[in-house]
Amino acid sequence: MGQQSKQMTEMLKGTLEGIVLALLATGPAYGYEITARLRDQGFVDIAEGTIYALLVRLEQKGQVDVEKVPSEKGPPRKVFTLNAQGREALDEFWSSWAFLAERLAHLKAEGDK
Amino acid sequence: MGQQSKQMTEMLKGTLEGIVLALLATGPAYGYEITARLRDQGFVDIAEGTIYALLVRLEQKGQVDVEKVPSEKGPPRKVFTLNAQGREALDEFWSSWAFLAERLAHLKAEGDK
DNA sequence: CTCCACTATTCAGTGTTACTATCTACTGGT
DNA sequence: ACCAGTAGATAGTAACACTGAATAGTGGAG
């Protein structure tokens, strides 16, 4: 398991959950698939265990619906679907993110002059 | 002590340190002042204790130089100055942030269509 | 003179989160 | 029979922001 910078690890705290919610907003998916998609999108060092734990959390918070679906190539998949509560959480995430991104853009501009 | 959303609290993990580094890049400052400036910039619910702990961390990592300066209106101030190592850490922070912001912008665009 | 507000820092304890490492389990190919 | 790929679970650890409280100095209101 490759390891990414500690910087990125800390930065992902709080945002990774939003990222997964955003992925699920494009359609249902299961853990292994989500990990693979994240890797494709450049998050090459996300630990699989992290995603599974995060999905358990989403389920416990009632933000996703879960369905067990048999797979042709391995154990059954747990397919997660974003529900209304999840969509609401995603909206909140985006608004928090927007605030932070706006503040940081401002700070960066300050530093560049 | 007001409390902000849990969302923002988690999102600040890893970024707050970068934010403080960025503030220090504009000039030396002491803890109480940094907290006040953050409040002015919209981070109304940053806990003071958090900033002081963070500054201790920066000092231990050797990213800031410290000088004790008497104050006319209270106990002496600990004035922090960003040094070369701190500037390097700030650069790394900005590049991590740029990656994450770019990925999230992409994800948001996906979700919006 | 005493109390309070503001300035300024510190610290012990808590909760949340991502990571590490390991384990289980099913399929197909060599 | 073994191994690679698929799929999920979990116990333990480290890092970080927050809570709440304590200490300490100054100046002004009563």
Side-chain angles (χ1 to χ4, degrees):
Chain A
M1 204 67 49
Q3 81 162 9
Q4 57 199 333
S5 70
K6 233 174 59 184
Q7 185 107 77
M8 185 56 79
T9 290
E10 289 308 321
M11 213 176 277
L12 282 175
K13 289 187 184 177
T15 56
L16 186 54
E17 200 168 302
I19 290 170
V20 170
L21 286 174
L23 270 185
L24 286 176
T26 68
Y30 55 97
Y32 191 83
E33 181 191 4
I34 292 173
T35 308
R37 277 211 244 163
L38 287 174
R39 287 201 215 286
D40 287 346
Q41 301 201 1
F43 297 99
V44 277
D45 292 309
I46 302 274
E48 274 190 67
T50 299
I51 299 301
Y52 289 117
L54 191 158
L55 287 169
V56 166
R57 242 157 48 217
L58 293 185
E59 188 181 353
Q60 279 168 352
K61 287 194 277 188
Q63 296 172 355
V64 290
D65 297 327
V66 190
E67 196 191 355
K68 209 158 209 167
V69 175
S71 163
E72 319 89 36
K73 327 180 64 176
R77 298 163 174 167
K78 279 179 73 177
V79 175
F80 297 85
T81 307
L82 199 65
N83 61 28
Q85 227 179 304
R87 231 169 297 270
E88 201 181 327
L90 179 57
D91 285 346
E92 277 173 48
F93 168 75
W94 280 131
S95 82
S96 290
W97 174 261
F99 170 77
L100 195 58
E102 201 269 327
R103 285 295 85 207
L104 275 165
H106 191 262
L107 260 175
K108 183 144 171 53
E110 289 279 297
D112 282 347
K113 44 173 207 202
Chain B
M1 204 71 50
Q3 82 163 7
Q4 59 199 332
S5 70
K6 230 175 64 184
Q7 185 105 74
M8 186 55 82
T9 291
E10 292 307 322
M11 211 177 279
L12 282 175
K13 289 187 182 176
T15 55
L16 185 55
E17 198 168 303
I19 290 170
V20 170
L21 286 174
L23 271 186
L24 287 176
T26 69
Y30 55 98
Y32 192 83
E33 180 190 5
I34 291 173
T35 308
R37 276 211 244 163
L38 286 174
R39 286 200 216 286
D40 287 345
Q41 301 202 1
F43 298 99
V44 276
D45 292 309
I46 301 273
E48 273 189 72
T50 298
I51 298 300
Y52 288 115
L54 191 157
L55 288 168
V56 167
R57 242 157 47 219
L58 292 185
E59 186 180 356
Q60 278 167 353
K61 288 195 277 188
Q63 297 171 355
V64 290
D65 297 327
V66 190
E67 197 190 356
K68 210 157 209 168
V69 176
S71 163
E72 319 87 38
K73 327 180 65 179
R77 300 163 173 168
K78 278 179 71 177
V79 175
F80 296 85
T81 308
L82 199 65
N83 60 27
Q85 228 179 303
R87 231 170 296 268
E88 202 180 326
L90 179 56
D91 285 345
E92 276 172 49
F93 167 75
W94 280 130
S95 81
S96 290
W97 173 261
F99 170 77
L100 196 58
E102 201 268 327
R103 285 297 84 208
L104 275 164
H106 191 262
L107 260 175
K108 184 143 171 53
E110 289 279 297
D112 283 346
K113 38 173 211 203

